[in-house]
């Protein structure tokens, strides 16, 4: 059924954009905490400069993802709700706490320090909880009793697959956020901060690749069917490695002004690399939503609802995309904001 694959690609796109925005957003929160109070660098200030507007936008893609998932695959809602209630509930609680401190920290200065630590800690916990879902839906950790699905927490919490996936997710988050903030710092003409984040990206890049390999290797005893499907997508994974190598090398390319590194090029290539690798990983999981009981075909909505959602999302994205471009021009390219001039007026 072509409709099922069209629907899952739309959902993947929302998840992909949320993963990119969330990685940079949560990573910036961690770096803000990591460099908080340091007098020898403005790395924390640059991270906060990005966080001030961005966190409000990132969650838009999370909402779009959830609504699309339930809308296109309503018959998966019960199963996914049953097995994801614990990690998703913790994610929602942490998002509420983080968002509340985000709102009040800028109007009540006494909460600034608390916000910094909450933003940094939740910036690690939320992605870790989200990544814990991947091993669950791959299979081997869910027991079906009648119509109910139960997570086998004793097996899950002792599985190296869980921790390898979490480790990969955190490494990717910190690497991508470092890369983006290095470009953001250079755009803000803060070259010392650029050097700090460039160094972080250089260190974290190989760690991310190493954790990706580790996550794949730990699947062999747990989900051999997934490994075999991933092997059939070797061309996409190989292409993603090539793109990563080009993007990583861009950190040493000379710029027009004689400086070392072109972070903007590196960011673009890394986004392409993550897109290729995540698409190949997701395609390897097809046609299952939760292995081995729930497939795309079992969960798909009826044709009338499918085409209504398709039109609705098409019109919605035609409205949202120009707004995102306006946001990008206002906060990520505006020289006054980036150089911290008249920031209070912008906020």
């Amino acid at each position: 059924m072509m409709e099922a694959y069209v629907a899952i690609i739309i959902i993947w796109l929302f998840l992909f954009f949320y993963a990119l925005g969330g990685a940079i957003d949560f990573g910036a929160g961690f770096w803000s905490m990591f460099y908080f109070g340091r007098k020898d660098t403005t790395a924390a200030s640059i991270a906060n400069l990005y966080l001030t507007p961005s966190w409000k936008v990132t969650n838009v893609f999370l909402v779009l993802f959830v609504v699309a998932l339930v809308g296109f695959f309503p018959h998966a809602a019960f199963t996914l709700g049953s097995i994801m209630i614990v990690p998703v509930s913790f994610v929602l609680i942490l998002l509420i706490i983080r968002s509340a401190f985000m709102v009040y920290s800028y109007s009540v200065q006494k909460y600034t320090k608390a916000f910094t630590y909450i933003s940094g800690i939740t910036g690690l916990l939320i992605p870790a909880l989200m990544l814990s879902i991947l091993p669950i839906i791959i299979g081997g950790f869910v027991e079906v009793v009648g119509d109910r699905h139960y997570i086998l927490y004793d097996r899950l919490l002792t599985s190296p697959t869980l921790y390898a996936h979490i480790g990969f997710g955190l490494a990717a988050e910190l690497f991508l956020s470092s890369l983006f903030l290095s470009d953001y710092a250079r755009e803000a003409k803060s070259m010392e901060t650029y050097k700090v984040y460039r160094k972080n990206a250089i260190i974290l890049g190989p760690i991310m690749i190493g954790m990706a390999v580790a996550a794949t290797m730990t699947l062999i005893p747990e989900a051999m069917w997934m490994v075999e499907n991933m092997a059939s997508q070797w061309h996409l994974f190989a292409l993603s490695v090539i793109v990563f190598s080009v993007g990583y090398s861009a950190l040493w390319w000379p710029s027009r002004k004689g400086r070392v590194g072109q972070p903007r090029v590196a960011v673009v290539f890394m986004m392409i690399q993550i897109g290729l690798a995540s698409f190949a990983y997701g395609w390897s999981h097809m046609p299952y939503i939760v292995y081995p009981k729930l497939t795309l075909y079992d969960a798909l909505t009826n044709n009338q609802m499918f085409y209504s959602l398709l039109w609705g999302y098409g019109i919605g994205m035609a409205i949202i995309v120009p707004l995102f471009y306006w946001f990008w021009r206002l906060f990520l390219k505006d020289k006054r904001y980036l150089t911290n001039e008249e920031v209070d007026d912008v906020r």
Side-chain angles (χ1 to χ4, degrees):
M1 294 174 67
M2 186 60 65
E3 291 87 353
Y5 284 97
V6 171
I8 203 66
I9 288 173
I10 292 171
I11 291 171
W12 170 78
L13 283 171
F14 289 145
L15 182 60
F16 171 65
F17 286 118
Y18 177 71
L20 290 179
I24 297 170
D25 182 38
F26 294 131
F30 171 80
W31 293 122
S32 176
M33 179 186 72
F34 186 80
Y35 290 109
F36 181 73
R38 292 272 295 270
K39 303 298 183 183
D40 57 333
T41 179
T42 59
S45 300
I46 290 294
N48 285 329
L49 198 64
Y50 171 78
L51 278 173
T52 302
S54 68
W55 70 272
K56 306 176 187 71
V57 176
T58 304
N59 290 332
V60 170
F61 288 105
L62 180 60
V63 174
L64 289 172
F65 165 72
V66 173
V67 173
L69 182 61
V70 176
F72 283 118
F73 299 102
H75 304 297
F78 178 78
T79 300
L80 293 175
S82 299
I83 64 178
M84 295 183 187
I85 187 168
V86 173
V88 170
S89 296
F90 278 118
V91 166
L92 289 176
I93 291 170
L94 291 173
L95 279 174
I96 290 170
I97 294 172
R98 187 174 191 263
S99 299
F101 272 87
M102 286 271 194
V103 170
Y104 291 110
S105 65
Y106 295 107
S107 56
V108 184
Q109 290 299 314
K110 69 178 182 179
Y111 291 135
T112 301
K113 184 176 181 179
F115 151 71
T116 300
Y117 283 99
I118 286 174
S119 176
I121 294 169
T122 56
L124 295 179
L125 292 178
I126 292 173
L129 287 167
M130 289 181 172
L131 264 296
S132 70
I133 295 171
L134 289 179
I136 296 172
I137 63 175
I138 287 173
F141 304 107
V142 178
E143 182 181 18
V144 181
V145 180
D147 293 332
R148 296 185 178 274
H149 295 71
Y150 300 94
I151 298 178
L152 303 174
Y153 283 104
D154 55 337
R155 291 186 59 183
L156 177 65
L157 295 176
T158 56
S159 170
T161 302
L162 172 66
Y163 301 105
H165 276 77
I166 291 175
F168 166 71
L170 294 180
E173 168 199 334
L174 297 178
F175 170 64
L176 192 60
S177 60
S178 301
L179 206 57
F180 182 87
L181 289 173
S182 68
D183 180 55
Y184 199 61
R186 197 168 76 162
E187 193 74 18
K189 302 187 185 305
S190 179
M191 295 309 299
E192 289 301 319
T193 304
Y194 160 69
K195 292 176 182 177
V196 170
Y197 283 121
R198 174 179 174 271
K199 180 180 178 182
N200 291 343
I202 289 172
I203 294 171
L204 288 164
I207 294 175
M208 182 189 75
I209 293 297
M211 291 306 302
V213 174
T216 304
M217 296 303 292
T218 57
L219 286 175
I220 293 176
E222 302 285 357
M224 194 61 197
W225 70 273
M226 181 74 175
V227 177
E228 291 172 354
N229 287 349
M230 290 172 70
S232 67
Q233 301 297 324
W234 67 269
H235 52 288
L236 287 177
F237 286 112
L239 183 59
S240 75
V241 171
I242 294 171
V243 173
F244 172 86
S245 301
V246 174
Y248 188 68
S249 69
L251 291 172
W252 285 272
W253 292 2
S255 65
R256 293 178 181 177
K257 297 182 180 180
R259 297 165 181 163
V260 178
Q262 293 195 24
R264 181 75 48 89
V265 175
V267 169
V268 171
F269 271 90
M270 291 308 170
M271 288 182 175
I272 295 171
Q273 185 268 329
I274 291 172
L276 289 169
S278 64
F279 184 84
Y281 182 93
W283 199 258
S284 300
H285 201 277
M286 296 296 102
Y288 299 103
I289 296 177
V290 179
Y291 181 85
K293 299 292 184 180
L294 184 63
T295 68
L296 299 179
Y297 316 118
D298 300 328
L300 185 66
T301 187
N302 58 67
N303 278 353
Q304 184 178 357
M305 179 60 73
F306 171 80
Y307 286 106
S308 297
L309 288 169
L310 208 59
W311 277 105
Y313 274 110
I315 295 169
M317 294 310 295
I319 297 171
I320 290 175
V321 169
L323 292 176
F324 280 128
Y325 177 75
W326 173 76
F327 170 84
W328 179 74
R329 295 290 302 177
L330 182 62
F331 289 108
L332 303 184
K333 292 294 289 181
D334 186 89
K335 296 298 182 182
R336 289 188 311 156
Y337 185 80
L338 289 173
T339 55
N340 214 23
E341 296 173 7
E342 303 177 42
V343 172
D344 291 335
D345 292 338
V346 176
R347 287 177 184 168

